[in-house]
Amino acid sequence: DHPVLNSAARYFFNTEDGKGKGKQVRPVMVMLLSRAMMQMNSHLETSTPQLNHTLKSQRRLAEITEMIHTASLFHDDVIDDADTRRGQPAAHRAFGNKMAILAGDYLLARASIYLARLRNVDVVECMSTTIEHLVRGEVLQIKDSRTGVADMEGYLRKNFYKTASLMANSCKSAALLNHATPEVVDAAYRYGKHVGVAFQLIDDALDFEGSAASLGKPALADLNAGLSTAPVLFAAESHGDVLIPAMARKFKEAGDIDLALQCIQEADGVRRTKELAAVHAEMAMEAVIGALEPSPFRDSLVHLASRVVDRSR
């Protein structure tokens, strides 16, 4: 074992103040879904070996999900040359680019081993797809940053690949591990997908409202990186004549960012982004309410979808 590599790989998991651990929405979703579905399996007794095996597999899936997500943060921050992440220096600032990339690769490798040990081919395929989608999403973002101009359809597709796919397929995998019916598997996938879309939309809105202290990263990071997110795209619908040229040059000329902020304010871009997020959160709630039996765990899934939209960080 390499001590520096181990330290880098654990960077977002072992923090004294808890900041680096993030919100851990993904593993919470997996475990809540698992317990909600167990309420529907009357043959599972609380003390049976089958129940213990299922719980152990679901916990491992939750860990795998967070490992894949964290690995993507290592790589994203190197690509974006980010300074901070979760209120502390980005991993490549602490360990260097090479070690940060290797730490991300190491986490993906460990996640793949744990995934194989679940011995469920459908889950392996499902979770492997998320890794492919993370790469697709990053490529789409690089393409957008080069051209400077994005459209809402392309933006939502990129966000699905970068954020919602991991949530959707993790939830689907939780249902597959529980041997759920096709209807429940589909509902779990839709829940994760819509929560993921809502989550990223709120992230984009908070980039215009939050501070570095509340966000754990600099405010207006997307604009400064030349990225056109949902608030900008909503503003471009009514202010395209002045905003699209600024988008095309990635907000690099003097006054471009102030212009974008003015257009967003006049077009209510942030409010409309939050409203779209609320629509997706509602669709997520409908998915689990329609497919799962009433239980405290189902209620928690509904509450989680609501909290995703209402959060301030």
Side-chain angles (χ1 to χ4, degrees):
D1 288 348
H2 195 294
V4 178
L5 177 59
N6 283 336
S7 296
R10 297 172 185 269
Y11 187 61
F12 288 129
F13 294 104
N14 295 341
T15 55
E16 293 182 0
D17 56 10
K19 286 183 180 179
K21 291 185 178 180
K23 305 171 191 68
Q24 299 187 338
V25 173
R26 295 156 189 83
V28 168
M29 290 168 64
V30 168
M31 293 309 300
L32 286 176
L33 267 170
S34 173
R35 297 308 297 266
M37 287 182 287
M38 285 179 186
Q39 301 285 306
M40 302 169 64
N41 292 342
S42 57
H43 66 280
L44 283 178
E45 300 294 338
T46 55
S47 60
T48 61
Q50 185 179 357
L51 174 62
N52 292 333
H53 174 74
T54 301
L55 280 173
K56 185 177 179 180
S57 297
Q58 295 288 6
R59 281 195 296 267
R60 182 60 81 186
L61 175 63
E63 293 166 358
I64 291 167
T65 300
E66 191 67 6
M67 290 171 74
I68 293 173
H69 171 59
T70 303
S72 74
L73 300 184
F74 280 95
H75 292 160
D76 285 359
D77 286 346
V78 172
I79 293 170
D80 299 338
D81 197 27
D83 291 321
T84 58
R85 169 72 68 172
R86 295 177 174 174
Q88 60 185 15
H92 68 284
R93 298 298 185 205
F95 299 97
N97 284 352
K98 292 181 180 179
M99 192 56 66
I101 292 170
L102 289 172
D105 292 345
Y106 177 72
L107 282 176
L108 286 176
R110 296 306 305 177
S112 298
I113 292 171
Y114 294 144
L115 187 58
R117 288 176 180 168
L118 292 178
R119 303 187 184 282
N120 187 308
V121 176
D122 291 333
V123 172
V124 171
E125 180 180 357
C126 197
M127 294 301 293
S128 298
T129 300
T130 68
I131 301 176
E132 177 194 353
H133 285 176
L134 286 168
V135 177
R136 284 176 177 263
E138 197 59 49
V139 170
L140 285 175
Q141 180 159 301
I142 292 172
K143 180 182 176 182
D144 286 346
S145 68
R146 287 177 177 171
T147 62
V149 179
D151 58 83
M152 187 62 77
E153 181 181 353
Y155 158 84
L156 291 173
R157 182 169 63 251
K158 177 199 72 177
N159 282 357
F160 170 76
Y161 286 144
K162 287 195 58 145
T163 304
S165 174
L166 180 55
M167 292 188 177
N169 285 293
S170 297
C171 290
K172 179 179 178 180
S173 295
L176 291 170
L177 282 177
N178 267 72
H179 305 289
T181 64
E183 292 76 18
V184 172
V185 171
D186 178 65
Y189 178 87
R190 286 186 287 113
Y191 175 81
K193 174 185 175 182
H194 290 300
V195 168
V197 172
F199 188 95
Q200 188 58 53
L201 285 165
I202 294 299
D203 255 13
D204 293 344
L206 291 176
D207 193 51
F208 292 89
E209 290 188 329
S211 63
S214 65
L215 298 176
K217 59 183 179 181
L220 300 181
D222 293 328
L223 276 184
N224 284 309
L227 299 176
S228 298
T229 56
V232 177
L233 296 174
F234 277 126
E237 293 176 359
S238 55
H239 295 71
D241 54 336
V242 293
L243 192 51
I244 289 178
M247 293 164 61
R249 54 181 178 261
K250 296 180 288 185
F251 310 106
K252 293 303 181 186
E253 288 190 5
D256 279 352
I257 290 181
D258 289 336
L259 171 66
L261 292 174
Q262 180 182 346
C263 292
I264 290 168
Q265 184 176 9
E266 292 176 357
D268 275 339
V270 172
R271 178 185 61 79
R272 294 170 68 187
T273 299
K274 289 183 176 182
E275 288 177 350
L276 181 58
V279 169
H280 281 279
E282 188 69 28
M283 294 169 74
M285 296 177 202
E286 291 173 355
V288 291
I289 289 173
L292 302 179
E293 294 178 359
S295 72
F297 303 107
R298 192 188 76 171
D299 293 343
S300 295
L301 287 166
V302 172
H303 180 64
L304 177 61
S306 177
R307 285 290 300 275
V308 162
V309 175
D310 295 336
R311 65 194 172 95
S312 59
R313 58 180 289 271

